Amino acid sequence: GSKWSRVARGSAALADAAAVARCTPEVLEEALCIKSESEMLGRLPLSARQAANNRDSLAKLLYAELFEWLRGNINHELARDGEPVEGTAGAPAGDGGEYTIGLLDIFGFESFSVFDSRAKVWRTQNSLEQLCINFANEALQMLFNRKVLESDKQLYAAEFDPGDVPDVPLNHKGAAALVYIELVTAKLGDACREAERREDHHKMGLEMIDNIKNHRRQEPAFQLPNGRGVDEKLWKIEDRRYFPAPGRFVVTHYADDVEYHVENIVEKNLDKGHDWLK
């Protein structure tokens, strides 16, 4: 019944994770479940939710470190005569014909759902991670339209009659999505600045939704057609579409509508565990 956290005794997962981290299970459990404060405050036990956030932060940190280690070692093995190549220790690739492997990791559009067997329905599970990935994907789509399609248009105009050049379709949905996500991240930043003096982070996430809803009506990109933006009935219809349930909001992306939830979104953005888990 304690509100504080601990790892289940005899957890094989804890032992496996500690082996990977090259520490004892006791050290890893303390890192996840105890927060070290100043000498005055001492060591503070964390709640189960806070400990779970630290667990997720550790997993992301290990993944990032593993990817960086893999990249560095591949580049090291490709180096000729032991000379560094681009991507290792910041050394630029010269004209000596060093071998490199270039990987273009395109951000894929993400929208996840999990089947609730009890309610027999699919429930969306998109959070801050998917919001960031889809924001990057949206920006890449806009960049592609601007750079590639516009350059093709100029090439076509140079070789054929400029009057026959087709117009490049504008990605209005993507542009609006970028404005919307920037609004969301701005309000999330406001919430995180308040998080230092507040413990009710879940309530802050709900308040963030209200702030987004209010400011959304002031953004030109979201004004309703035909100058009817002041029509309260139309706005209520829009609110039901873009804010379908408490703590949830919808972004109309270029690819599809995606419903996001704000559970733990403040903690994820703060990600306090990162620094001291290292």
Side-chain angles (χ1 to χ4, degrees):
S2 174
K3 66 177 181 179
W4 306 121
S5 62
R6 65 180 179 85
V7 178
R9 296 307 172 200
S11 171
L14 178 66
D16 292 342
V20 172
R22 296 183 180 180
C23 66
T24 65
E26 293 75 18
V27 169
L28 179 57
E29 180 178 11
E30 180 171 333
L32 294 174
C33 302
I34 302 293
K35 179 179 180 181
S36 299
E37 291 284 1
S38 61
E39 293 183 1
M40 180 180 297
L41 295 176
R43 298 162 67 250
L44 301 177
L46 299 177
S47 67
R49 172 179 289 185
Q50 291 171 323
N53 289 335
N54 282 339
R55 175 204 60 201
D56 295 344
S57 294
L58 178 59
K60 295 172 187 175
L61 174 63
L62 290 174
Y63 180 86
E65 293 293 331
L66 177 61
F67 187 87
E68 185 65 20
W69 174 86
L70 182 62
R71 182 194 62 82
N73 277 271
I74 289 175
N75 282 343
H76 177 75
E77 293 299 323
L78 290 172
R80 178 176 295 178
D81 298 326
E83 292 295 325
V85 297
E86 185 176 8
T88 57
D95 298 326
E98 296 93 343
Y99 296 105
T100 61
I101 293 179
L103 297 177
L104 178 59
D105 187 5
I106 296 295
F107 296 95
F109 182 79
E110 289 191 357
S111 181
F112 295 135
S113 297
V114 175
F115 186 70
D116 186 337
S117 58
R118 181 172 299 180
K120 305 298 182 182
V121 295
W122 287 91
R123 301 193 184 279
T124 57
Q125 293 295 322
N126 301 301
S127 186
L128 180 63
E129 297 87 349
Q130 286 69 46
L131 184 68
C132 293
I133 289 172
N134 291 340
F135 175 79
N137 195 53
E138 207 74 71
L140 282 174
Q141 176 70 33
M142 295 289 291
L143 179 65
F144 178 85
N145 286 350
R146 186 169 64 252
K147 296 294 185 181
V148 177
L149 297 184
E150 282 294 336
S151 63
D152 287 349
K153 180 179 177 180
Q154 294 174 8
L155 179 62
Y156 191 93
E159 296 183 357
F160 302 97
D161 185 354
D164 294 334
V165 177
D167 291 331
V168 177
L170 297 177
N171 181 6
H172 294 292
K173 290 175 64 177
L178 290 176
V179 174
Y180 193 2
I181 296 175
E182 288 172 357
L183 172 62
V184 172
T185 54
K187 296 307 174 185
L188 179 57
D190 293 341
C192 288
R193 280 187 285 273
E194 292 186 29
E196 294 292 336
R197 56 184 180 83
R198 292 179 58 178
E199 294 294 332
D200 54 339
H201 292 171
H202 179 68
K203 183 179 179 180
M204 294 177 66
L206 299 179
E207 293 172 355
M208 185 187 80
I209 292 292
D210 291 334
N211 290 333
I212 293 171
K213 185 185 299 184
N214 293 332
H215 281 77
R216 189 177 184 277
R217 299 190 179 195
Q218 304 171 17
E219 289 288 342
F222 307 119
Q223 293 305 303
L224 298 176
N226 302 325
R228 297 180 295 174
V230 295
D231 192 320
E232 187 62 26
K233 290 183 179 179
L234 290 176
W235 273 118
K236 288 182 178 179
I237 294 174
E238 288 284 289
D239 287 347
R240 284 196 295 271
R241 175 185 176 185
Y242 289 102
F243 305 95
R248 291 180 174 269
F249 63 96
V250 172
V251 177
T252 298
H253 290 281
Y254 178 79
D256 198 3
D257 286 2
V258 178
E259 182 180 313
Y260 300 91
H261 66 80
V262 298
E263 184 178 357
N264 290 342
I265 196 170
V266 174
E267 289 92 339
K268 288 179 178 180
N269 198 52
L270 288 171
D271 204 6
K272 288 186 175 181
H274 239 75
D275 294 334
W276 54 272
L277 278 172
K278 290 183 179 182

